[in-house]
Amino acid sequence: MPESIKIGTHDGTFHCDEALACFMLKLLPRYKDAVVVRTRDQNILDTCDIVVDVGMEYNHAKLRYDHHMRDFKETISTVIKKPGYDEEVTLSSAGLVYCHFGHEIIKNLVPEASESDIETIFKQIYNTLIKEIDGIDNGISIYKDGSLYSIVTDISSRVKLLNPAWNSKNIDIDEQFFKAVELVGQEFMQHINFTTYVWLPGRSIVQEAIEKRFEVDPSGEIVEIGQYVPWVQHLLTIEKELNIQPSLKYVIYKSSYYRIQCVPIKNGSFLCRLFLPEAWGGLKNEQLERACGIEGARFVHSERFIGEHSTREGVIMMARKAIEIGKAL
């Protein structure tokens, strides 16, 4: 009977990064039935087929993925040497495994995905899950001239709670570790499914709308989304990828009525590139119609980041007039 494939990692207190690294490896056919060996004994680690988060060595050719060395400075940018990767967050064992095996893992999980979609899913999973785990495990501050990463899941804290407490008795730490593997595995799969079947289709809708923006208005600054999807992150990312100039100012879409929404300066910001005109702020119906000179205008929020009109033609007129007024200031 052939000897089992072995994944080596350290024993004792466990963390989110090696738990996720082990889970991801076991998604690959060659490691699916692998035995996870938890030890710091180098002689035992040397017998393992692949080692994560222990061993003081990072060498992809030898399948060794530790990140605790003093001179370790690898980021996704240095591992994946392609345009579009410019992150500063140092990789943990989870990040290393994801960088080297993530595309293959996604292809296995989503076999119908194109190479382009796999690349897009890979980047999104890194930005929303892996980078958080890397940053926390390496003790990297979230902020450095802006946000380096975001706490999206707090999965690292949830894994920490699975470690035996200082005063616990008769707790099998290996058993707790495999509970952590299961926990982070569920989180990883949830991100894969959401990104593939919710987030990615939304991106496609926003990209198509951006490509057709000149059909809405010759300025190219107004984007009409055929059906509402969460659009801000997609729009800002695609705009950067395509180097769109002039920058996009307004998004319009059909809700109960037709809405116009200002494009923020960055995802999550309340500051917008071009707010709706000050004279429109906080007005409704007849008052707004008089202020903007557009019949059927329904309201503009007092903070001027969103407005509404009864018709598609009317909301486009609001957007055009808002751009005209903004450029005149």
Side-chain angles (χ1 to χ4, degrees), residues 223-264:
V223 175
E224 180 181 15
I225 299 176
Q227 63 181 96
Y228 178 77
V229 296
W231 57 265
V232 175
Q233 180 196 5
H234 294 310
L235 182 141
L236 296 177
T237 300
I238 295 166
E239 181 186 56
K240 183 179 179 181
E241 290 174 354
L242 300 179
N243 192 27
I244 289 175
Q245 296 294 335
S247 62
L248 306 172
K249 303 300 191 303
Y250 299 117
V251 169
I252 60 175
Y253 56 89
K254 179 76 162 61
S255 183
S256 50
Y257 291 91
Y258 289 87
R259 288 192 171 174
I260 174 173
Q261 196 164 340
C262 305
V263 175

Side-chain angles (χ1 to χ4, degrees), residues 84-232:
Y85 292 94
D86 56 358
E87 298 293 341
E88 300 178 38
V89 176
T90 307
L91 299 172
S92 68
S93 63
L96 283 170
V97 167
Y98 187 73
C99 284
H100 286 290
F101 301 101
H103 290 86
E104 182 182 354
I105 289 168
I106 294 167
K107 188 174 183 64
N108 288 342
L109 293 174
V110 194
E112 70 275 16
S114 66
E115 292 300 319
S116 174
D117 285 347
I118 289 171
E119 180 70 9
T120 302
I121 294 167
F122 176 88
K123 286 183 178 180
Q124 178 67 4
I125 296 293
Y126 173 78
N127 286 323
T128 57
L129 177 63
I130 308 298
K131 185 161 62 170
E132 172 191 336
I133 294 169
D134 288 347
I136 291 172
D137 192 79
N138 286 306
I140 297 171
S141 175
I142 293 178
Y143 295 101
K144 178 186 173 184
D145 300 326
S147 179
L148 284 179
Y149 63 96
S150 302
I151 304 297
V152 177
T153 68
D154 204 23
I155 188 71
S156 297
S157 295
R158 289 150 61 197
V159 167
K160 185 177 180 180
L161 288 174
L162 287 172
N163 279 282
W166 67 270
N167 56 350
S168 60
K169 297 178 181 178
N170 302 319
I171 299 294
D172 186 331
I173 192 168
D174 286 342
E175 183 178 329
Q176 293 300 107
F177 171 75
F178 288 111
K179 288 181 181 178
V181 172
E182 181 180 0
L183 176 66
V184 297
Q186 290 173 350
E187 192 76 40
F188 181 77
M189 293 304 298
Q190 185 177 28
H191 273 73
I192 289 287
N193 289 330
F194 177 84
T195 301
T196 302
Y197 301 112
V198 179
W199 181 88
L200 187 60
R203 177 188 162 95
S204 298
I205 290 171
V206 175
Q207 181 157 351
E208 183 180 2
I210 290 173
E211 291 169 351
K212 292 181 176 180
R213 66 192 184 281
F214 290 103
E215 297 177 16
V216 180
D217 186 73
S219 71
E221 297 175 74
I222 304 167
V223 175
E224 180 181 15
I225 299 176
Q227 63 181 96
Y228 178 77
V229 296
W231 57 265
V232 175

